[in-house]
Structures are given as C-alpha cells and as structure tokens.
Amino acid sequence: MLMKRNKALKEVKGSPSQALITGTLAFFIGFAAVALFGTTAHKISSILHLSIVEIGWLVAIPLVTGSLLRIPFSALVEKYGGKRIILIQLIIALIGMIGIVITLTLIHKILYIGYFMLILFGALAGTGISAFSSGITYVSYWFSLRKQGLALGLFAGIGNTAPGIFTAILPIALICLGLIGAYVIWSLILVVGLTIFAIFGIDAYYFQLRKIYKEKTLEEAKKLGEEIIPTDSALTSLSNALRIWKVWLLVIMYLTSFGGFEALTEWLPTYWQEFLHVNIVEAGLLVGVLFSLIAALIRVLGGWLSDIFGGENVSLVAYIILLLGSLITLDSFKFTQSIIGEIIMALGMGIANGAVFKLVPKYAYRSVGGASGLVGGLGSFGGLLLPPIMAYIVNVIGISGFAYGFIVFTSLSLVSIIFTLILKRRSDDMNIIQ
C-alpha cells in the first residue's frame, strides 16, 4: 500500500504556474460579461424602445447572477475541485452568449419578448463573472501562504482587465461588425478559452490523489507542498467562513474596492457623457483605459506588495489613496481634475483588491472556498448597489450630483480604513503572541 501511494505521488500532474495561467484565462473570458450590455445598451434600446429603468436592469442583470453565484460555486470547489466547477460556469455563460446572438438575430420578429429573452440570456452569460471566486479557490490550493499575494494578484489583475478591454473595443466592433457580429466574435472567444481550459486546466494535488484513493489524502498532499487543504464539504466550508468575523470585515472592504470598481465601470460612461459632455467612443476609452485597465493591472502590484509588507498594511495605504481620489472627484467640475480623481481612485481600488484577497487565505485557511465566495460574492454587490445610489443623488441634487455622488466612496473608504486598522491590530497581536 505504501509503495502504491509513493508511486501515485510521482504520477500527479500539473504545476502552480499551469494552474495560474489556465485559471486566469478562464476568469478573463468569463469576467468580460461585466461589460456585456454596457456599451451596446443604446443600440438595443433604440430597437426595443426601452425606458431608462429597463436599460438599467439590462445592464445590471449579468452582475446579479455573477455576484450571487460566486458563493455556491466557490464553496463547491472544496468538494469537487476547481476545474469541473469552472467548466460548468463557462458552459452556462456560453449558452447565454449563444442565446443573445439568436435573440438579436430574431429581434425584429420577437419585439414583445425580445427584452425578456435578453434579460434571461444575459443572466446566464453573467455566470461567467462568478468564475472569479471559484478561480481564486482553484489557484489558491496550488500556492503557499507566503506566495498567495502575487499569485492571486496576477490571477485577478489580468482577469480584471477584461471589462476594460471589452469596454474600449466594443464601440469599434459595433462600427466594423455590427451588433450581432460583435456578439458572435465574443462567443467565439469564449469557445476558444473554454476549450483551452478544458484541455490544460488541472486541479491541485489533493484532488488528484483523492480521485485515486477515493478518500482523504491530507498527508500526501502536504508532502507535495500543499499548505491549504479543502474541507471536502461545500456546506462546511461556507458554514465555517460565516462564523469568522474577520471575513465580514473583508466583505465590506472588498465591496468598497472591487464592488466600487464594477460600479464605476458601469457608471463612469454616463458620468463622462452626461456631466462632462464627451462622446461615446471617448467615454469608452476614458473608462476602459484610464480606469478599468489601470485598476486591474495595479492589482498585481497590490498582491505582490502584500506578500512583502502584509495585506493589512497595503490595504491601509490603498484605502487612503482611494479616499484622496474620491475627495478630488467629489469637488470636480472640470475635465482634467476628474481624470486625475478617476486615476487615483483606480490606483486605490486596484491595490486594495489585491491586498484584500491576500488576507482571505490568512484568516480562513481551512475554508478558502467558502470565504472566497462570501468576500467575492457579497463584495461584488457594490456593482449593483452603488450606481442606483449615485443616480438617486443626481435626481435629487441635479447635474452637480454627478460630482457630489462620489461622497459614497468617501464614506466607504473611511469605513474600510477603520476595518483595516482593526485587522492590523489583531494581526499585530497574533504576531506578539507567537
């Protein structure tokens, strides 16, 4: 039996770098759905004659499923491994994309139900967004605690560039390919990425060994270098995470930074067009490049710095930067000042995103799947909650509300700074005890 197990240890496949590359690719193609209807809403609206409320729901619906489904899917990784779960998410997303293409092809024949079909298939396509939390868990099992920051920073940072890239190129695709052609190309990209992940994606050693022995293989996995071991139960993982109070602080912190990132990716095109009167292509570039891409790429730096200086310290600096950016934008009625504020907010949000997820395996190392789902899922609700709040401020105050609406981020930044100081104090106390 011992010889059999030693032989199995030599037969396990894959490497941390392979898992990081394949997981990042899967997340990238799934997360692009954040920008699913944002740029095309005006074209769809002109065909279906939608109200502003109907447009709002159309834009938001992928984020609804993308947020809610992060929690169960991430927890299921604990039991079944990441590859199977991520494939299911991407297949559902592909079904949604194909449904959108078919609906748009028949749109003039099904005007009365076309909107509801787009809502339905948009919800399915939004399942790809939920690959974030399951992908985080999938990658986490391959890396030691001291390397989590950089690994997860690269995963999320590169994956998070998808909305920015798609927001920037969709207006051009619409001009060159038309509405249906743009979604056809998007579907093909999803097919290619899904196929690559199906071939090269691979679960951590623990799941491979468990498949061989049909039982828990903690010691064998540890011999191969795994530090973070699954609980084998999605419900147990989620239940354990729910009882960790530090996880709930991370939820609010992530709602501020990542939920804020999603919210501003949706809100800023309207801000630039309605408040500062730029055209749609310029608004797409301002949001896609100067906000979304910067916030996504700087996340890698946030994760790397967290490995060196600690997630709590980096989070503190990041939320102070975000606070500064929100104050600049809050007082801005000028183009240049708004750009400066937007870029500073992008830097703060991106660095904070990398730092916060460095802390998830630290405070929930035996329930990474459940904790990742809670932090990623509930935190991303900021993308749903914050734009309506900012819109309400505009309705109450008038056009100047576009600037004053950033008080939302000023307030959330202050709360996140307080929560970070609490975690930092607890971490310092733990170090003293050790």
Side-chain angles (χ1 to χ4, degrees):
M1 183 66 178
L2 180 62
M3 291 180 63
K4 180 182 177 182
R5 292 200 166 217
N6 287 335
K7 181 181 179 182
L9 290 176
K10 297 178 182 179
E11 292 179 352
V12 291
K13 302 175 182 178
S15 66
S17 59
Q18 180 180 345
L20 179 58
I21 292 171
T22 55
T24 301
L25 172 64
F27 173 45
F28 178 90
I29 60 174
F31 195 61
V34 168
L36 189 66
F37 292 123
T39 304
T40 60
H42 69 289
K43 268 192 166 294
I44 295 173
S45 175
S46 65
I47 297 172
L48 297 177
H49 308 291
L50 304 179
S51 69
I52 188 66
V53 174
E54 289 172 326
I55 292 172
W57 276 109
L58 184 65
V59 171
I61 196 65
L63 293 174
V64 173
T65 49
S67 299
L68 289 175
L69 294 178
R70 289 182 183 198
I71 299 173
F73 275 128
S74 181
L76 286 169
V77 174
E78 298 270 349
K79 183 173 180 62
Y80 298 106
K83 181 173 181 178
R84 186 188 307 182
I85 299 303
I86 294 172
L87 280 174
I88 291 172
Q89 291 169 286
L90 294 181
I91 290 170
I92 294 173
L94 179 59
I95 292 171
M97 290 299 301
I98 293 172
I100 290 172
V101 171
I102 293 172
T103 301
L104 291 175
T105 302
L106 303 174
I107 198 70
H108 294 288
K109 299 179 180 179
I110 54 172
L111 287 176
Y112 293 107
I113 62 170
Y115 174 73
F116 299 102
M117 291 181 67
L118 288 176
I119 288 286
L120 170 62
F121 291 123
L124 293 177
T127 305
I129 299 172
S130 68
F132 170 75
S133 292
S134 50
I136 281 278
T137 309
Y138 166 82
V139 172
S140 290
Y141 291 137
W142 281 97
F143 290 88
S144 64
L145 287 171
R146 65 185 179 85
K147 295 181 179 179
Q148 290 281 320
L150 179 58
L152 298 183
L154 285 167
F155 165 83
I158 296 173
N160 277 347
T161 63
I165 292 173
F166 277 68
T167 298
I169 66 174
L170 263 180
I172 300 171
L174 286 171
I175 295 171
C176 298
L177 303 171
L179 184 60
I180 297 173
Y183 281 106
V184 168
I185 295 298
W186 193 330
S187 301
L188 291 175
I189 292 172
L190 188 53
V191 169
V192 172
L194 192 159
T195 303
I196 292 173
F197 181 77
I199 296 172
F200 297 105
I202 191 163
D203 282 316
Y205 299 135
Y206 173 82
F207 294 103
Q208 296 182 51
L209 292 168
R210 193 182 65 186
K211 188 175 182 180
I212 296 172
Y213 301 125
K214 310 299 182 183
E215 62 184 49
K216 293 183 179 181
T217 51
L218 299 181
E219 294 304 319
E220 286 81 359
K222 289 178 179 177
K223 287 179 182 178
L224 292 166
E226 281 192 45
E227 291 184 7
I228 303 173
I229 304 297
T231 62
D232 287 329
S233 168
L235 186 60
T236 300
S237 176
L238 188 57
S239 176
N240 289 343
L242 284 167
R243 292 196 294 267
I244 302 172
W245 64 268
K246 302 179 191 71
V247 169
W248 290 102
L249 299 190
L250 295 176
V251 166
I252 301 302
M253 291 163 62
Y254 203 61
L255 185 148
T256 300
S257 55
F258 185 75
F261 164 77
E262 288 187 317
L264 289 183
T265 298
E266 299 172 55
W267 178 253
L268 284 174
T270 302
Y271 169 86
W272 283 112
Q273 292 178 77
E274 299 294 329
F275 185 50
L276 294 171
H277 310 295
V278 305
N279 64 50
I280 186 173
V281 175
E282 291 171 338
L285 291 173
L286 285 170
V287 179
V289 177
L290 293 184
F291 179 76
S292 294
L293 283 180
I294 289 178
L297 294 174
I298 204 69
R299 182 169 185 158
V300 181
L301 178 64
W304 178 67
L305 290 174
S306 297
D307 283 336
I308 300 173
F309 300 107
E312 296 87 354
N313 293 325
V314 176
S315 292
L316 181 60
V317 173
Y319 288 115
I320 291 173
I321 293 172
L322 177 56
L323 175 62
L324 174 61
S326 69
L327 290 172
I328 291 173
T329 314
L330 177 65
D331 187 48
S332 175
F333 292 82
K334 297 180 180 179
F335 183 81
T336 302
Q337 184 176 340
S338 293
I339 287 180
I340 294 172
E342 176 184 297
I343 292 174
I344 293 175
M345 290 184 72
L347 293 172
M349 286 179 175
I351 295 172
N353 287 337
V356 169
F357 255 92
K358 161 72 176 180
L359 298 174
V360 171
K362 176 179 179 178
Y363 292 119
Y365 66 94
R366 288 306 305 273
S367 303
V368 177
S372 294
L374 284 173
V375 175
L378 297 181
S380 68
F381 262 97
L384 304 175
L385 299 175
L386 301 182
I389 293 173
M390 298 178 80
Y392 178 76
I393 293 173
V394 173
N395 283 337
V396 171
I397 298 177
I399 193 69
S400 60
F402 275 104
Y404 297 139
F406 284 90
I407 189 66
V408 172
F409 290 99
T410 302
S411 303
L412 287 173
S413 298
L414 288 170
V415 172
S416 296
I417 288 171
I418 293 171
F419 285 175
T420 304
L421 289 171
I422 293 172
L423 291 176
K424 179 173 167 54
R425 176 65 180 271
R426 297 289 296 187
S427 181
D428 290 343
D429 289 345
M430 290 169 57
N431 292 334
I432 292 171
I433 292 172
Q434 292 172 353

